[in-house]
Amino acid sequence: MENFQKVLLVLTIIGAINWGLVGLFDINLVSTLFGSATFISRIIYTLIAIAGIVNIGILFNHLEETDL
């Protein structure tokens, strides 16, 4: 399970870096590498979104464990 969480964290970091590049330099790295609105880029965006949602759950589980 720990490896799965690390993979999800890496995907979330990739998404954060991509949004940082969009905000700072107007460069969308995913679109640049895989094309705009292609099937592959949509899969990547979906995986990053799922990783972010799962990471929210991991955060709340971790917070509950530390409250004990």
Side-chain angles (χ1 to χ4, degrees), residues 7-63:
V7 169
L8 294 176
L9 183 59
V10 167
L11 286 173
T12 305
I13 291 169
I14 290 169
I17 290 171
N18 190 56
W19 276 110
L21 289 172
V22 170
L24 293 172
F25 305 111
D26 198 25
I27 298 171
N28 187 333
L29 190 59
V30 174
S31 291
T32 302
L33 294 175
F34 301 105
S36 179
T38 63
F39 183 70
I40 294 174
S41 65
R42 291 181 68 190
I43 288 175
I44 291 170
Y45 288 130
T46 303
L47 289 174
I48 291 172
I50 291 169
I53 292 167
V54 172
N55 280 328
I56 291 170
I58 293 169
L59 172 67
F60 285 118
N61 283 340
H62 180 69
L63 290 177

